[in-house]
Amino acid sequence: MHQYVIQGSTQRLTVGKIIGLARTYKAHAEDMHALVTEEPLLFLKPESAVIFSGGSIVIPRNSHCLHHEVELGVVISKDGSHIPEANARDYVLGYLVALDITARDLQAEAKKQGWPWAIAKGFDTFAPISDVVLARKILDPMNLELSLRVNGQLRQKANTSLLLYSLDHIVSFVSEIMTLREGDLIMTGTPQGVGEIKAGDILDARLEGYCTLHVDVH
């Protein structure tokens, strides 16, 4: 099992389930020729997909097209179900920058056939995450700059203010469907600019001045 590294703390917390969100930035949905929905679209990634800064994304043998998706991650602090939006921040331990790696060719085939996306999202190493920044250190998580560089070239950059759903709504909405547990991670979706990564690439993701994530591709 993986454990988060929490900045400025000796606390160790085991990574729980990973809830991914899709089409949460309008420009990204337009890039993917996909409709924006009234409520968030959810999918799950396994805890076994997690790697940390300094790790390597491994290209699976049955995929020939991996895409990067930089995202804000929300780490849950305690168990909760049917959480009111007004209380959502009480359940947030902190934030991190994450990459939702996607086998785009496998996802495209799944979409074509009407199949779920689990294979395209769930390979080992497909959920790189940074250290956790405690929530009290971030005054406004809805006003943070996310960015990703691949081999030094800027690929993605956006502010979380562009999210179509507030973080309070996201936490509340997810908790209406499944009980959130201490250590669960919500990956809040990616802005525009997703693209392919190949063996030998170096990825540097950043959450404003708070945390960084450095991984390569094998």
Side-chain angles (χ1 to χ4, degrees):
M1 293 187 294
H2 295 95
Q3 291 188 317
Y4 297 103
V5 177
I6 301 170
Q7 291 182 6
S9 173
T10 58
Q11 178 185 2
R12 287 295 178 262
L13 183 64
T14 299
V15 179
K17 60 182 174 286
I18 303 171
I19 303 106
L21 273 65
R23 306 176 193 172
T24 56
Y25 290 83
K26 183 179 179 181
H28 171 65
E30 291 172 347
D31 281 351
M32 303 302 292
H33 307 290
L35 295 175
V36 172
T37 54
E38 184 175 346
E39 294 288 8
L41 294 176
L42 308 183
F43 59 90
L44 298 176
K45 292 172 81 83
E47 174 271 340
S48 55
V50 166
I51 59 172
F52 296 97
S53 194
S56 297
I57 299 162
V58 178
I59 301 172
R61 287 178 294 178
N62 54 336
S63 176
H64 305 287
C65 182
L66 299 194
H67 274 201
H68 59 74
E69 301 185 14
V70 69
E71 311 198 0
L72 173 68
V74 180
V75 180
I76 300 301
S77 62
K78 60 184 177 180
D79 295 2
S81 177
H82 300 275
I83 301 167
E85 287 190 31
N87 302 118
R89 302 290 175 92
D90 296 337
Y91 292 81
V92 176
L93 174 72
Y95 305 96
L96 53 77
V97 63
L99 293 171
D100 172 18
I101 304 301
T102 304
R104 193 68 75 196
D105 50 349
L106 301 184
Q107 187 190 45
E109 180 63 19
K111 287 181 176 180
K112 180 180 176 182
Q113 300 294 340
W115 298 337
W117 301 354
I119 295 175
K121 296 285 191 177
F123 286 100
D124 288 353
T125 75
F126 271 28
I129 62 174
S130 73
D131 295 353
V132 179
V133 183
L134 290 171
R136 65 173 181 266
K137 296 183 178 180
I138 294 181
L139 295 178
D140 185 5
M142 291 297 296
N143 185 25
L144 295 173
E145 291 289 336
L146 282 171
S147 66
L148 174 69
R149 293 181 181 272
V150 178
N151 301 325
Q153 179 182 9
L154 186 64
R155 290 277 190 92
Q156 292 184 269
K157 185 176 182 180
N159 191 287
T160 56
S161 63
L162 297 174
L163 277 165
L164 296 173
Y165 317 99
S166 72
L167 292 182
D168 295 340
H169 181 68
I170 289 169
V171 171
S172 177
F173 177 78
V174 174
S175 77
E176 292 281 340
I177 299 164
M178 62 190 81
T179 297
L180 289 170
R181 302 289 190 196
E182 180 185 29
D184 285 352
L185 173 62
I186 301 175
M187 296 173 67
T188 59
T190 195
Q192 69 185 115
V194 302
E196 190 172 359
I197 51 176
K198 297 180 180 292
D201 284 348
I202 296 173
L203 285 68
D204 288 289
R206 295 179 181 272
L207 179 59
E208 221 170 53
Y210 293 103
C211 54
T212 61
L213 172 63
H214 178 90
V215 293
D216 59 18
V217 184
H218 278 187

